[in-house]
Amino acid sequence: VKENNYRGHGDSVDQLCWHPSNPDLFVTASGDKTIRIWDVRTTKCIATVNTKGENINICWSPDGQTIAVGNKDDVVTFIDAKTHRSKAEEQFKFEVNEISWNNDNNMFFLTNGNGCINILRQVPMAAELKPIQSINAHPSNCICIKFDPMGKYFATGSADALVSLWDVDELVCVRCFSRLDWPVRTLSFSHDGKMLASASEDHFIDIAEVETGEKLWEVQCESPTFTVAWHPKRPLLAFACDDKDGKYDSSREAGTVKLFGLP
């Protein structure tokens, strides 16, 4: 594996996401009030877009045309991925956590600090998004949301340590996973939609069978897990923990990415 460094941001890089269909492009959100689009072939930044606030979450629409970025002031800005100009922005009156389009690209979902999932729909021929529904999903802060690749379910993770699984079409909760003890920070569905990984400050990652809720595996970790991601084609899970570089400097984060499921 070739390792590259992508330098340019002036503050912490809080999230990145890949282009949904072009494997050479990814975008990063930073506290320096910019987002940057990078090309892995040249390892260079091909676009820097200035935003109003310190960015903490980002997602790319399934059709690749729009990038949504959320900042610490709960403003979500929608940026045209070709022109790199802002198309719309939405100020919310609640804490916005994770943001995501559905697989059909026609609705925009966000999780909020009141335990709700808010759903917005793109108004045809207009820039803004219209709120269409708010679902009370959890009794406490609703943190993360992920859609399964098959388009059947989406899952949310909450500060109540529960993961809830929702039917995309009916918008009803079909089951809950309750093996974690700490707020659920990160979720990922496997490429075939059959497995769901969830992680928190517990020192393990829970891998559940989606259709039954049963535990398939418990991946042991030495520290809280901030992010998990399944491989897009194989049963291989990447994850990154809040691990410290103890050997030389215990205050510095090690920044290690680990893999589970290698043969």
Side-chain angles (χ1 to χ4, degrees), residues 139-157:
S140 58
N141 197 334
C142 194
I143 299 170
C144 46
I145 183 167
K146 281 291 179 299
F147 283 79
D148 98 80
M150 303 291 129
K152 189 176 176 186
Y153 300 117
F154 66 89
T156 58

Side-chain angles (χ1 to χ4, degrees), residues 9 25 41 47 49 111 114 120 127 136 160 176 179 220 235 262-263:
H9 279 299
L25 298 180
R41 292 162 299 190
V49 184
T111 55
N114 305 328
L120 300 93
N136 289 324
D160 61 14
C176 281
R179 283 182 290 270
Q220 296 302 318
L262 290 167

Side-chain angles (χ1 to χ4, degrees), residues 102-146:
N102 63 346
N103 297 19
D104 292 338
N105 209 105
N106 59 1
M107 288 194 281
F108 189 74
F109 287 63
L110 49 95
T111 55
N112 78 27
N114 305 328
C116 296
I117 303 162
N118 292 77
I119 307 170
L120 300 93
R121 190 186 286 281
Q122 182 76 52
V123 180
M125 309 304 291
E128 85 269 21
L129 283 102
K130 191 169 151 231
I132 56 166
Q133 197 164 348
S134 177
I135 303 169
N136 289 324
H138 291 270
S140 58
N141 197 334
C142 194
I143 299 170
C144 46
I145 183 167
K146 281 291 179 299

